[in-house]
Amino acid sequence: MESTTIKNDLLEYAIDADGFATITINMVNEPTNLFSIDFIQSYLEIAQQAVENPTVKGVIVTSAHRDFMAGADLKFIGNPPKNKEGLFKDILNVHKGFRTLEQAGKPFVAAINGTALGGGYELALTCHHRIALSKPSIKIGLPEVNLGLLPGGGGTQRLSYLIGIPKATTYILQGKQFRPTQALSEGFIDQVVTDQEALIAAAKQWILKNSAPIQPWDDKRYKIPQGGLMSKSGTDTMIGGIGNLRKKTHGNYPGAQYAMACIHDGMLLPIDRGLEIEARYFIKAFYSKEAQNLIRTGFFAINEAKKGKVKPKGFDFYTINKVGILGAGMMGAGIAYVSARVGMDVVLKDTSVENAEKGKAYSEKLLQKNVSKGRITPELLQQTLDKIQTTDQTKDMADCDLIIEAVYENPELKAKVTQEAEAYLNPKKIFASNTSTIPITLLAKAAKRPENFIGMHFFSPVDKMPLVELIVGKETSDYAVAAAVDYVTQIGKIPIVVNDSRGFFTSRVFSTFTREGALLLHEGVPPAVIENVAKRVGMPVGPLAVTDEVSLSLALNVMDADQKERGKTAQTLYELLHKMAVDLGRPGKKAGKGFYEYPSGGHKHLWAGLKEHFPSDPNYLDAETVGKRILHIMALESYRCLEEGVLNSPTDGDVGSLTGFGFPPYTGGVFSYIDYVGIREFVEDCDNFASCYGPRFIVPESLREMAVNQETFY
């Protein structure tokens, strides 16, 4: 017989007839359990009652939700209280409460029946034993660094004691998450079981066998795996880790640095002092601009976008059962794969069945890779491939809910295939064009129903890149936008909606990155400085490497196709690209030579001939100015997109820049970056750059007014 003694909006507490107490985390007003101050206070109070009750043999901590505890309450974290010292004291009181439970001599077992991340796993660490269900959907770990934070519930200290400093440091800095069987082998948990009944039974059995447990960090005879901080493995981890962290983050992510400092400083001291050190570093990370940027955009804005927040109101969900794709090249093949893997029927058309089969083979290659890694079964591979029908007949597009044109970037070709395929499309269905630069209003002229025509800009490789930029033409209806958003969310991508313009938002802004890199080279900045500084400020690759990937010849062709008279900056860029691609015969990576050399079987490296053809002066520009020019120009062009109405909101720009072209996550995106720098300083920098390097840095008057009024985007 079980008697429930306490039940509130956060948890339930019951003691059964055999003396086993169970604390069941059940936040009824939240979709998942969250590690919040309110919960902790309630948990500590009830857990202390269990400790003081002589009839209680031990306490089992589990969950009524699908997750054990998904982590901290990010609503709280995204809006930090102004009283830093007060929060610091609250955290110390939390540590004191958990330490009291740990040392009370009564066994606590975490019965992990769902995902336990961040504060959820730290709660489990305060228990004396951890048992998890062996469900592959469960994740266990400390991912706080990914949000610019660090484990603030004792994780940096307890995990280091539990699995050793080398492994704890690596997994905390990587924000690593494990499935239960992996977590067991890595030492994160002590046991796995197959079902809920076995989970509770195992917890009770452990309690009976361990009536007075001691935590490893309280056991004077306990030896930390691989030795303490001053052991060879400990010192090697710290020395090597500092260098690796610097190389990976370039100092842009203070949360990661603070996490490492917690381990270094804390593991020299008793656990209680270590927890105090962790609390101090947590406060520093928590109030950093980088953490707030990562939480606001990297978590909240991106997750809201994933759910289709940009969808126009008033439309039912547009279910896609069958999608037609025109063109089985790299983009078409990728779109076919991401559609088929979520269960959609796909008709993949090319000029010949042979070409269409080559596109289908791309899906088979990706699926085989997943089979080899144990992510899917061979049966699922075949089921997914069976979803893709290859054809050279346009009539096979009949009955499609959506047709996506993904042929070469040529307006005439796109018009031709649009007219052919639209004839077979139900008048209430949607037609989309995958294009990165051509105005949708122009392409829609080929359509009989331009109101159902929309731009759908995928990024390469489609299976990896999360963003889809939806472009609204002059006549595109809200119905078409709503349907397109629903499709993008169905395939698990992130949609943003922008208005029509050449290059739209992402291509237009990203082109300023590659352009600035080329102009810096022309001015005399050493190419290695350009590339390394770009990575140092947080871009995934340098602008010269990106230009090679895209193709110098393609960039040249785009400029040739533009009939507008070139200004001085554009002419300089054209001449540089022409010299590289035509005069020197180095058109890019595909040809095996561009700004970089691409030796077969070796790593790419900057072409030595750049020194001869583009003389450089290492003292011409300091690294800070190079970095600012690279990021400022993208943020400035993004503001122009907002002012012109291409973008609908700063949030769309931030989400698109982070997920579409790799703008540094610690900045929060192109608009958050202006706030991050400080709007007045940003405008002053751009004014200086405009006078020194040209009118592309001229600040719009509306942005200047924001600076004068000390306004911010967030």
Side-chain angles (χ1 to χ4, degrees):
M1 183 179 175
E2 190 173 89
S3 60
T4 301
T5 55
I6 294 175
K7 184 176 183 178
N8 57 37
D9 289 347
L10 301 171
L11 48 77
E12 299 172 15
Y13 173 60
I15 306 169
D16 69 16
D18 296 320
F20 296 103
T22 303
I23 298 177
T24 304
I25 312 165
N26 187 18
M27 297 189 179
V28 295
N29 297 322
E30 299 288 349
T32 187
N33 294 326
L34 300 171
F35 196 68
S36 64
I37 294 292
D38 287 345
F39 163 75
I40 295 165
Q41 289 173 343
S42 181
Y43 173 86
L44 290 175
E45 182 182 329
I46 289 170
Q48 189 59 39
Q49 288 182 31
V51 166
E52 293 171 1
N53 187 336
T55 67
V56 171
K57 295 174 182 175
V59 182
I60 301 166
V61 183
T62 192
S63 165
H65 276 271
R66 183 180 62 182
D67 294 330
F68 177 78
M69 183 170 277
D73 182 357
L74 288 175
K75 292 174 188 173
F76 171 79
I77 288 176
N79 187 25
K82 293 180 180 179
N83 187 353
K84 291 185 186 180
E85 191 60 32
L87 180 59
F88 173 67
K89 288 178 180 176
D90 286 343
I91 294 172
L92 289 186
N93 286 333
V94 167
H95 285 318
K96 184 178 179 181
F98 280 123
R99 290 292 292 136
T100 299
L101 297 179
E102 285 185 321
Q103 296 175 301
K106 189 160 285 189
F108 278 71
V109 177
I112 302 170
N113 56 342
T115 288
L117 295 174
Y121 178 61
E122 288 177 294
L123 175 64
L125 281 172
T126 68
C127 296
H128 301 95
H129 195 67
R130 287 155 293 281
I131 311 171
L133 287 179
S134 57
K135 289 165 60 175
S137 60
I138 291 175
K139 297 177 183 177
I140 296 169
L142 297 171
E144 287 90 340
V145 165
N146 297 330
L147 289 175
L149 300 169
L150 58 90
T156 64
Q157 306 303 297
R158 291 187 175 96
L159 189 63
S160 296
Y161 276 99
L162 196 64
I163 66 172
I165 291 168
K167 284 166 66 173
T169 302
T170 299
Y171 296 151
I172 288 171
L173 294 182
Q174 291 178 351
K176 197 80 172 173
Q177 300 175 30
F178 294 105
R179 306 297 179 189
T181 51
Q182 295 172 304
L184 177 65
S185 64
E186 294 293 344
F188 276 63
I189 57 176
D190 304 296
Q191 191 177 348
V192 294
V193 295
T194 56
D195 57 58
Q196 183 71 22
E197 187 177 339
L199 181 67
I200 301 303
K204 289 180 178 180
Q205 187 177 25
W206 193 88
I207 287 170
L208 291 174
K209 291 181 179 179
N210 297 272
S211 59
I214 300 173
Q215 291 282 36
W217 36 91
D218 290 321
D219 186 349
K220 293 179 181 179
R221 296 174 298 175
Y222 179 75
K223 294 188 182 299
I224 298 172
Q226 295 182 265
L229 190 76
M230 302 312 293
S231 67
K232 185 179 186 305
S233 67
T235 54
D236 286 351
T237 297
M238 288 297 122
I239 293 168
I242 290 167
N244 289 334
L245 185 62
R246 187 73 192 176
K247 184 179 178 181
K248 185 178 178 182
T249 69
H250 302 288
N252 296 322
Y253 296 86
Q257 298 171 51
Y258 297 151
M260 192 159 192
C262 284
I263 297 170
H264 176 272
D265 298 357
M267 292 302 288
L268 287 168
L269 300 167
I271 183 74
D272 294 301
R273 290 292 310 281
L275 292 171
E276 181 182 339
I277 285 168
E278 182 191 86
R280 291 191 184 281
Y281 279 118
F282 178 80
I283 292 293
K284 292 176 75 171
F286 184 45
Y287 285 92
S288 70
K289 291 193 289 185
E290 291 83 359
Q292 292 308 308
N293 288 339
L294 285 161
I295 292 164
R296 183 180 58 253
T297 307
F299 184 82
F300 283 119
I302 287 177
N303 280 336
E304 286 174 359
K306 279 181 184 175
K307 296 172 186 174
K309 185 184 178 185
V310 293
K311 179 180 175 177
K313 300 288 187 287
F315 295 94
D316 293 336
F317 190 78
Y318 188 90
T319 302
I320 306 283
N321 295 311
K322 187 175 183 181
V323 58
I325 299 165
L326 305 173
M330 183 174 65
M331 298 304 292
I335 298 167
Y337 169 73
V338 298
S339 300
R341 73 178 177 184
V342 296
M344 295 177 187
D345 291 322
V346 176
V347 180
L348 183 60
K349 179 191 177 294
D350 210 293
T351 52
S352 69
V353 173
E354 182 183 4
N355 285 344
E357 283 291 335
K358 287 179 182 176
K360 183 175 180 178
Y362 178 76
S363 288
E364 185 171 12
K365 179 183 174 184
L366 293 176
L367 290 164
Q368 286 285 9
K369 191 181 293 184
N370 284 332
V371 170
S372 66
K373 292 181 177 178
R375 293 174 182 166
I376 64 171
T377 63
E379 290 77 19
L380 184 56
L381 177 151
Q382 193 56 52
Q383 287 171 20
T384 306
L385 283 180
D386 290 344
K387 289 282 183 183
I388 304 174
Q389 173 194 348
T390 56
T391 185
D392 59 359
Q393 299 294 309
T394 309
K395 65 182 181 181
D396 290 335
M397 294 288 148
D399 300 324
C400 285
D401 301 300
L402 168 70
I403 293 177
I404 302 172
E405 167 273 301
V407 301
Y408 183 69
E409 288 282 272
N410 178 290
E412 289 76 24
L413 176 60
K414 286 179 178 288
K416 179 177 180 291
V417 299
T418 297
Q419 289 168 348
E420 290 173 353
E422 192 190 26
Y424 293 95
L425 188 66
N426 183 301
K428 293 183 179 180
K429 303 300 181 179
I430 308 303
F431 195 102
S433 175
N434 174 57
T435 176
S436 58
T437 57
I438 305 171
I440 291 303
T441 303
L442 172 66
L443 295 177
K445 289 180 179 179
K448 287 184 179 179
R449 294 179 292 276
E451 69 277 10
N452 286 351
F453 191 99
I454 191 167
M456 197 173 278
H457 178 199
F458 286 84
F459 296 77
S460 183
V462 177
D463 59 291
K464 292 182 179 177
M465 296 297 286
L467 184 72
V468 178
E469 185 179 28
L470 300 174
I471 306 101
V472 178
K474 188 176 181 180
E475 296 184 61
T476 305
S477 66
D478 281 353
Y479 169 73
V481 175
V485 170
D486 285 341
Y487 166 69
V488 174
T489 58
Q490 282 176 77
I491 60 171
K493 300 290 184 184
I494 301 168
I496 62 167
V497 176
V498 303
N499 293 305
D500 202 10
S501 166
R502 180 163 286 277
F504 322 126
F505 165 63
T506 54
S507 296
R508 173 176 165 180
V509 171
F510 195 53
S511 69
T512 66
F513 170 63
T514 54
R515 180 186 69 189
E516 203 62 27
L519 293 173
L520 286 163
L521 179 69
H522 177 266
E523 290 172 29
V525 178
V529 171
I530 298 167
E531 299 293 87
N532 289 332
V533 169
K535 287 183 276 190
R536 192 185 306 166
V537 296
M539 294 301 293
V541 289
L544 303 181
V546 171
T547 305
D548 267 8
E549 292 275 353
V550 173
S551 162
L552 285 79
S553 296
L554 179 61
L556 204 57
N557 292 339
V558 170
M559 294 187 79
D560 278 331
D562 191 345
Q563 301 300 312
K564 289 190 297 185
E565 184 179 345
R566 296 188 196 104
K568 183 180 177 183
T569 299
Q571 186 60 32
T572 298
L573 179 63
Y574 183 85
E575 290 170 2
L576 184 149
L577 293 172
H578 193 280
K579 180 177 182 178
M580 282 292 298
V582 180
D583 300 344
L584 298 173
R586 303 187 66 85
K589 183 180 179 180
K590 196 171 182 180
K593 50 186 179 178
F595 291 116
Y596 282 78
E597 290 278 17
Y598 299 90
S600 58
H603 295 292
K604 71 178 184 183
H605 57 82
L606 283 162
W607 178 44
L610 291 174
K611 294 178 182 177
E612 175 190 347
H613 295 284
F614 302 97
S616 60
D617 176 6
N619 299 314
Y620 165 62
L621 271 187
D622 60 278
E624 183 182 3
T625 301
V626 172
K628 280 188 173 183
R629 279 179 58 178
I630 286 169
L631 296 185
H632 277 38
I633 194 65
M634 287 190 277
L636 186 59
E637 192 67 22
S638 298
Y639 182 79
R640 293 188 184 112
C641 287
L642 182 66
E643 187 180 51
E644 294 168 20
V646 176
L647 280 172
N648 295 308
S649 71
T651 300
D652 288 344
D654 280 349
V655 169
S657 61
L658 258 59
T659 59
F661 52 82
F663 200 79
Y666 71 90
T667 67
V670 283
F671 292 98
S672 293
Y673 172 75
I674 298 174
D675 285 351
Y676 179 73
V677 171
I679 193 165
R680 283 189 171 181
E681 184 179 334
F682 180 84
V683 168
E684 287 171 8
D685 286 342
C686 289
D687 286 344
N688 180 40
F689 294 160
S691 64
C692 294
Y693 311 116
R696 64 187 179 279
F697 282 103
I698 290 175
V699 174
E701 281 306 311
S702 57
L703 184 60
R704 193 178 301 282
E705 286 176 19
M706 283 185 68
V708 169
N709 296 329
Q710 298 186 54
E711 296 175 43
T712 57
F713 292 102
Y714 297 100

